[in-house]
Amino acid sequence: MDHTTPMTNTGELLLSVFFFLALCGAWLFWRLRRERRRASDRRAQLLGTLEIAREQFSTFNLRLISDTPGTSGLSAILLDVDERTLHLEVTDYMDEAWKGLPVDAFFRVDGEDGPVFYVFRSVFLDISPDFGKARAIIALPETLRVEKKRHFIRVRPQEDAVRVIGVWTLPEGLPLPRSTEEIGPPLTHATPGMADKPVQVEDISASGLALRFPVREAEALRGVDRGAHLLCLVVYVLDCAQDKTTAFWCTGDVVNVRYSSGPPPARILGVEFTNWAVLEQGGSEIHWSHSSPSRGVRPILQWVERMDKKRARRT
């Protein structure tokens, strides 16, 4: 009886299993290398995009994922980026207690085919509070998501660029004023020459503005909270060299309220534009236009972009 056949069959079976395992191992090794290469390419692209944003002095709009008062609507520029962190200079007051809070960041990069808008989620790792120029370190995100919705640049105007501010409450249901003659005394206002202005433009974008009120104005603002409707006048200078002013009227909804410890301590109302008008020189009639969330307010967009370019040149 021939005993070589079973041994031969067993050997062939073991050899087949060996080759099958070898092929599986090679396939897994190839797939692992491909995934690592893709991850490396994604990381290089992410770092490259952030580096371009840093070189273009792009504004990073930060929205904290928190119910804590004063933790929304921050504006920053990217100072440095490394393999693990982003170093930011924030133009708003920050609190060290915000360490560990998650944050959504929005920024744009200008390319040959136009601007591309990005958003990512991160977390604050370290905060060095300082009024006017706080420093913050956030974790490097794993991915960047391209946004279809436009997130407008926000800037803080120079004090001499804003000449007059007026703020009125706007009762719901009443028609918008068609003339300045229909508008009564404001809740509060600021004009040139005031030593301690009761209201200032904290920052502004094509979709809204933030108004800063010292805490001493609490009585004048009683009842003005999130959800309130406001009428505002901002007389600004598009070009300080030409000293030509623009009288910008707007209505808006208060979408957030935050607090700043100062100095001086202040209450800041975030207002989203709903309607706007530019008053003709020497005129009194107000011709309202509706504010588009996607396009923003054209004259403010032009003003903000001009201020942002000037800031980039100074930096």
Side-chain angles (χ1 to χ4, degrees):
M1 186 173 182
D2 190 359
H3 296 285
T4 61
T5 301
M7 293 182 61
T8 302
N9 292 339
T10 302
E12 291 176 350
L13 179 62
L14 290 174
L15 189 61
S16 298
V17 170
F18 173 77
F19 276 113
F20 174 76
L21 293 175
L23 287 173
C24 289
W27 179 79
L28 289 173
F29 178 73
W30 171 82
R31 184 171 180 178
L32 181 62
R33 285 194 59 185
R34 186 183 65 175
E35 291 301 321
R36 286 179 175 174
R37 186 166 57 250
R38 287 181 176 177
S40 177
D41 291 343
R42 287 194 298 268
R43 189 174 183 84
Q45 185 177 12
L46 181 148
L47 291 171
T49 300
L50 290 169
E51 183 61 27
I52 293 173
R54 186 191 67 80
E55 293 173 353
Q56 294 183 355
F57 299 101
S58 298
T59 298
F60 282 65
N61 292 320
L62 308 178
R63 185 175 66 203
L64 279 79
I65 315 302
S66 170
D67 295 329
T68 305
T71 59
S72 63
L74 305 174
S75 182
I77 59 171
L78 181 60
L79 298 178
D80 192 21
V81 55
D82 57 38
E83 291 292 325
R84 294 185 178 181
T85 58
L86 304 182
H87 297 251
L88 302 170
E89 180 180 280
V90 184
T91 57
D92 298 276
Y93 177 78
M94 304 185 71
D95 194 316
E96 288 184 281
W98 298 352
K99 289 181 184 178
L101 290 179
V103 59
D104 282 339
F106 305 88
F107 70 98
R108 84 177 203 182
V109 169
D110 294 323
E112 294 180 358
D113 299 326
V116 181
F117 302 91
Y118 295 95
V119 60
F120 64 85
R121 178 159 293 187
S122 183
V123 63
F124 279 111
L125 300 178
D126 192 25
I127 293 174
S128 300
D130 183 19
F131 181 72
K133 287 188 178 181
R135 297 295 176 91
I137 299 176
I138 64 175
L140 183 76
E142 294 184 1
T143 59
L144 299 177
R145 188 173 78 248
V146 176
E147 280 281 281
K148 293 182 180 179
K149 181 181 178 182
R150 186 172 186 176
H151 293 275
F152 296 103
I153 298 171
R154 295 189 309 117
V155 299
R156 176 179 294 175
Q158 292 181 216
E159 189 173 352
D160 60 350
V162 179
R163 298 297 170 83
V164 177
I165 307 173
V167 181
W168 294 257
T169 55
L170 191 64
E172 193 168 2
L174 291 183
L176 298 178
R178 295 295 178 180
S179 169
T180 56
E181 297 172 357
E182 300 177 15
I183 302 172
L187 286 178
T188 186
H189 71 284
T191 56
M194 284 186 171
D196 297 314
K197 294 182 178 179
V199 58
Q200 290 180 295
V201 176
E202 174 75 1
D203 56 58
I204 190 167
S205 77
S207 60
L209 78 165
L211 297 171
R212 171 184 283 266
F213 302 89
V215 291
R216 66 177 183 273
E217 294 296 307
E219 184 64 29
L221 295 174
R222 178 174 294 182
V224 179
D225 212 325
R226 184 172 180 174
H229 308 289
L230 298 181
L231 171 68
C232 302
L233 167 65
V234 179
V235 179
Y236 64 88
V237 183
L238 183 63
D239 189 340
C240 291
Q242 297 181 2
D243 201 35
K244 183 179 179 181
T245 59
T246 299
F248 174 75
W249 287 91
C250 66
T251 63
D253 299 328
V254 178
V255 294
N256 62 68
V257 179
R258 54 192 173 98
Y259 297 87
S260 170
S261 60
R267 187 168 184 249
I268 301 172
L269 303 183
V271 180
E272 188 175 87
F273 296 140
T274 53
N275 299 279
W276 65 276
V278 172
L279 198 67
E280 294 183 4
Q281 194 76 24
S284 60
E285 292 187 358
I286 305 176
H287 302 284
W288 294 103
S289 297
H290 183 67
S291 177
S292 166
S294 60
R295 294 192 302 271
V297 174
R298 178 176 46 80
I300 299 299
L301 176 62
Q302 294 171 347
W303 184 38
V304 167
E305 288 181 342
R306 180 172 293 198
M307 288 188 290
D308 189 58
K309 289 178 181 178
K310 284 184 178 179
R311 185 197 63 178
R313 287 198 295 267
R314 288 196 303 269
T315 306

